Amino acid sequence: MKLPKAPSFDLTGKRALVTGASSGIGLGCAVALADAGAHVVLAARRAKVLGEAVELMRKEGWSAEALTFDQSDMGAIDAVFEQPFDVVLNSAGLARHSPAVEADPDDFDAVMALNVKGAYFLSARAAQALMAAGKTGSIIHISSQMGHVGGIDRTVYCASKHAVEGMVKAMAIEWGKAGIRINTICPTFVRTALTQPTFDNPERYKWIMEKIKLPRVAEVEDIMGAALFLASDASAMVTGTSMLVDGGWTAG
């Protein structure tokens, strides 16, 4: 008898790009990948905050660098992939919440430009660079449980995340033969500086806690393990799907 060998979560020697990495989920995922041995490029628009994050990560002994980056700029996306990344994790996103009948066309365009168009071409250029280099890789999008259900005042956001979920399935079919995997992580409400106003609204907080089956909201750390799993060889047979880190929201 020969015992099976557990797959490795080690990312030593891998290059990873994390967008939306200046705070919240993006920063948490960057830390998770760096802690596993990857050289991580943290990309976002806020140069000062990025620099502070990279400095702190380097003090921990991790390999990291900052890249000021606007994901809604197609030229910027092209420039990033002059060299391929083994792992690309997209955490850049935008939400403009309102009742559906009150949605502003400019808000709609802004959300779709980043959440859908930016995600699409980031994925396409990442895969293109990997295929040109004859390499395999993992592309990960921070989507949302709202890519699987509906939500109050979140019609535009839900539309964008449902689009990402469909996009990922189609891309996985096209790129599978090249050994390029693409998946999403779908969190429930995660406690960050950006989401705190939602938690401070008693009506919204009550709605959230009625939907989440576990007795708490999510923290950034709850997403980091999922990111490491999908980035590493531990998920070598996983593509075209979503990992729901939603506390049971979509189970009910």
Side-chain angles (χ1 to χ4, degrees):
M1 177 187 294
K2 184 178 180 181
L3 295 175
K5 184 178 179 181
S8 175
F9 288 84
D10 183 31
L11 297 178
T12 300
K14 303 290 188 182
R15 293 180 72 241
L17 172 70
V18 179
T19 67
S22 58
S23 63
I25 293 173
L27 179 57
C29 291
V31 166
L33 302 186
D35 188 40
H39 172 74
V40 181
V41 177
L42 287 78
R45 290 179 297 178
R46 298 186 295 167
K48 183 176 183 295
V49 180
L50 272 181
E52 292 170 356
V54 166
E55 183 180 353
L56 289 172
M57 290 174 67
R58 287 176 175 171
K59 285 181 179 178
E60 294 291 333
W62 301 325
S63 180
E65 64 180 285
L67 173 68
T68 306
F69 176 68
D70 181 355
Q71 195 165 308
S72 63
D73 181 346
M74 296 298 104
I77 290 177
D78 289 342
V80 165
F81 293 106
E82 291 179 358
Q83 297 293 326
F85 286 90
D86 303 288
V87 179
V88 173
L89 190 148
N90 170 36
S91 186
L94 180 64
R96 301 275 176 87
H97 299 319
S98 71
V101 296
E102 297 176 13
D104 180 274
D106 291 337
D107 287 343
F108 182 97
D109 290 343
V111 170
M112 293 298 172
L114 182 57
N115 292 8
V116 183
K117 185 178 180 181
Y120 185 102
F121 287 100
L122 187 81
S123 302
R125 297 298 177 261
Q128 193 174 34
L130 285 167
M131 288 187 279
K135 298 185 69 174
T136 63
S138 176
I139 302 169
I140 306 160
H141 290 280
I142 302 299
S143 180
S144 171
Q145 66 186 15
M146 295 299 170
H148 297 263
V149 296
I152 300 168
D153 293 346
R154 283 165 168 77
T155 303
V156 174
Y157 185 73
C158 287
S160 73
K161 293 303 185 180
H162 274 75
V164 168
E165 294 300 316
M167 175 195 86
V168 163
K169 288 177 172 62
M171 288 176 170
I173 293 168
E174 288 193 23
W175 302 339
K177 290 291 191 290
I180 297 170
R181 301 184 295 108
I182 180 166
N183 296 284
T184 65
I185 298 171
C186 297
T188 186
F189 286 84
V190 180
R191 194 181 299 280
T192 68
L194 288 176
T195 59
Q196 193 57 48
T198 299
F199 295 130
D200 291 340
N201 181 320
E203 183 180 338
R204 287 288 181 266
Y205 185 72
K206 180 175 182 291
W207 171 64
I208 289 168
M209 295 313 297
E210 286 172 350
K211 292 287 190 179
I212 296 177
K213 306 306 180 289
L214 295 176
R216 65 178 178 85
V217 299
E219 305 291 343
V220 167
E221 290 81 359
D222 293 312
I223 315 303
M224 293 167 67
L228 179 56
F229 171 70
L230 289 175
S232 72
D233 289 343
S235 61
M237 199 62 181
V238 180
T239 194
T241 192
S242 15
M243 178 172 288
L244 284 149
V245 188
D246 68 349
W249 184 300
T250 58

